[in-house]
Amino acid sequence: GMDSMLSELADCLPDGSSIDDQVDSRALTGIITRWLDSLPPRDKELFVRRYWFCDSLGEIAAEMEEAPGALAQRTYQLRKSLKNCLEKEGYTI
């Protein structure tokens, strides 16, 4: 499960392999935090549960009373939004 979730995020987060990327991790954390704070509460909950707590889409869907497919599409849109936000801040993905 964890590998699957990390691969989903791979397209919207820098890989952190260079020293500069590692030094800049605090700035990156701040950008992601501000992005999360800008989301509507349900989107924020979905993103955090999926990518921080590693909840399955099935679990989240049952509790949010939504179809797993709809949540899969929403997580895709959220990842795309995060990627756009990071690119605007100068992170090359």
Side-chain angles (χ1 to χ4, degrees):
M2 180 64 85
D3 289 339
S4 174
M5 283 181 284
L6 291 176
S7 70
E8 289 177 12
L9 287 174
D11 292 338
C12 61
L13 294 175
D15 66 7
S17 60
S18 76
I19 300 262
D20 289 339
D21 288 340
Q22 293 172 11
V23 170
D24 204 28
S25 67
R26 280 198 168 151
L28 178 61
T29 300
I31 292 166
I32 294 170
T33 299
R34 285 189 299 281
W35 175 80
L36 279 170
D37 288 343
S38 75
L39 296 176
R42 283 184 69 83
D43 286 347
K44 183 176 182 177
E45 177 184 358
L46 171 61
F47 194 88
V48 170
R49 288 189 62 188
R50 178 72 176 138
Y51 299 111
W52 182 259
F53 293 110
C54 305
D55 291 346
S56 73
L57 286 175
E59 292 171 321
I60 300 168
E63 291 179 27
M64 294 180 108
E65 298 180 346
E66 292 192 39
L71 293 183
Q73 180 62 29
R74 190 67 199 133
T75 58
Y76 169 77
Q77 294 297 326
L78 289 168
R79 291 191 313 270
K80 204 162 102 173
S81 171
L82 176 57
K83 180 180 180 181
N84 289 337
C85 174
L86 292 172
E87 287 175 342
K88 285 179 185 175
E89 294 289 335
Y91 286 89
T92 305
I93 310 302

